[in-house]
Structure formats: C-alpha cells, structure tokens
Amino acid sequence: MKDCIFCKIVRNEIPSYTVYEDDIVKAFLDISQGTPGHTLVIPKKHIANIFEYDEELASEVFARIPKIARAVKASNPDIKGMNILNNNGQVAYQSVFHSHFHLVPRYTSNDDFKMIFKDNSNKYSPDQLKEIQESIEQHMGD
C-alpha cells in the first residue's frame, strides 16, 4: 500500500533498525521501545490484520517468530521473558493497519509494561459458556 508506514519501511523508503529480513518478513525495532529490544515482526505483503491471513502466509510468518524471539532474548542476558502481542482493529489497540507482532522483552515485573487479564469467570454460567463455545465452533469453517 502506497501510504502505509510499514510498507514504506519494507520498501526502504523510511529507515528502520532492521534485525531480520527475508522474502516473507521484516523484523525491526519498534521506535517506541516499550522495553529495550521491543521488536516488530511484519509480513512484507500488506495485510491489515490477522483476519486477512491465509494458511500459507500464517505458516510462513509464524514460523519465523520463535527464531527472532530467541535472537532478541539472546541479545541481552537481563531479558527474563517476553510478551508476544498482536492487536487487531482499533478497539484492540491496533494503530498501524499493517499486521504486526510485538516482541516485548521483559526484564522484571516492574519494567513499565502492563497487561491486565480481568477474571470475569463469575459473570458466566456454564450455559452461557456453552453458547459461546457452540457459536465459535459453528464458524470454524468460515
């Protein structure tokens, strides 16, 4: 896409701190550096989000993420873990509409990166959970 910032990075029209690149993906430092080493992995092909992946592209992109994650972790002995995030849609905090995966190194539990998974288990009955399950199962072929 002509105006997509990540497509411009792929075309080398905008400089980046590239850590890995091949015919399928490009991985580069996130300019915001949520934590030191925060890396983005993007498919070179412009797709907006996870909903646009076909099985082949998903297989190719996802297969490269562990290799890149291992390299990021190995780059600094202080890295103790890593969050791998993929936001899809504005409501899910996607701000650049070219699919990308955040590899966020974790150094300590106080390294200024937060994720909250609220426990809403008391809000759903077994029947409600079964209804959600069945609705998802019905759409697995879509």
Side-chain angles (χ1 to χ4, degrees), residues 2-141:
K2 186 178 175 186
D3 293 329
C4 171
I5 190 167
F6 287 172
C7 288
K8 288 179 179 182
I9 289 172
V10 167
R11 294 189 303 262
N12 295 313
E13 294 172 9
I14 295 176
S16 67
Y17 296 93
T18 300
V19 299
Y20 176 82
E21 183 172 10
D22 63 22
D23 292 342
I24 306 299
V25 304
K26 185 167 184 134
F28 52 94
L29 296 181
D30 186 310
I31 200 71
S32 72
Q33 288 296 284
T35 64
H38 180 172
T39 300
L40 300 178
V41 179
I42 68 170
K44 286 187 164 182
K45 174 183 179 182
H46 180 87
I47 58 171
N49 54 47
I50 197 72
F51 307 115
E52 294 184 5
Y53 278 79
D54 59 28
E55 288 183 17
E56 181 180 349
L57 184 61
S59 176
E60 291 174 333
V61 172
F62 298 163
R64 287 156 170 84
I65 290 175
K67 174 182 181 173
I68 299 164
R70 284 189 297 269
V72 172
K73 186 175 187 308
S75 75
N76 187 324
D78 293 332
I79 295 174
K80 307 295 185 226
M82 181 176 294
N83 289 98
I84 299 177
L85 308 164
N86 173 244
N87 305 327
N88 297 281
Q90 189 171 7
V91 71
Y93 307 112
Q94 185 177 7
S95 59
V96 176
F97 295 94
H98 181 126
S99 181
H100 56 286
F101 296 83
H102 294 262
L103 280 57
V104 184
R106 301 304 306 273
Y107 297 85
T108 72
S109 58
N110 297 319
D111 57 15
D112 203 31
F113 182 84
K114 304 275 187 267
M115 288 181 61
I116 299 170
F117 291 94
K118 186 176 177 189
D119 181 357
N120 290 309
S121 58
N122 63 347
K123 295 182 179 181
Y124 295 93
S125 70
D127 288 341
Q128 289 170 310
L129 292 172
K130 184 72 174 164
E131 184 179 327
I132 294 168
Q133 172 198 5
E134 290 172 353
S135 179
I136 294 170
E137 285 179 335
Q138 289 173 6
H139 292 90
M140 287 305 295

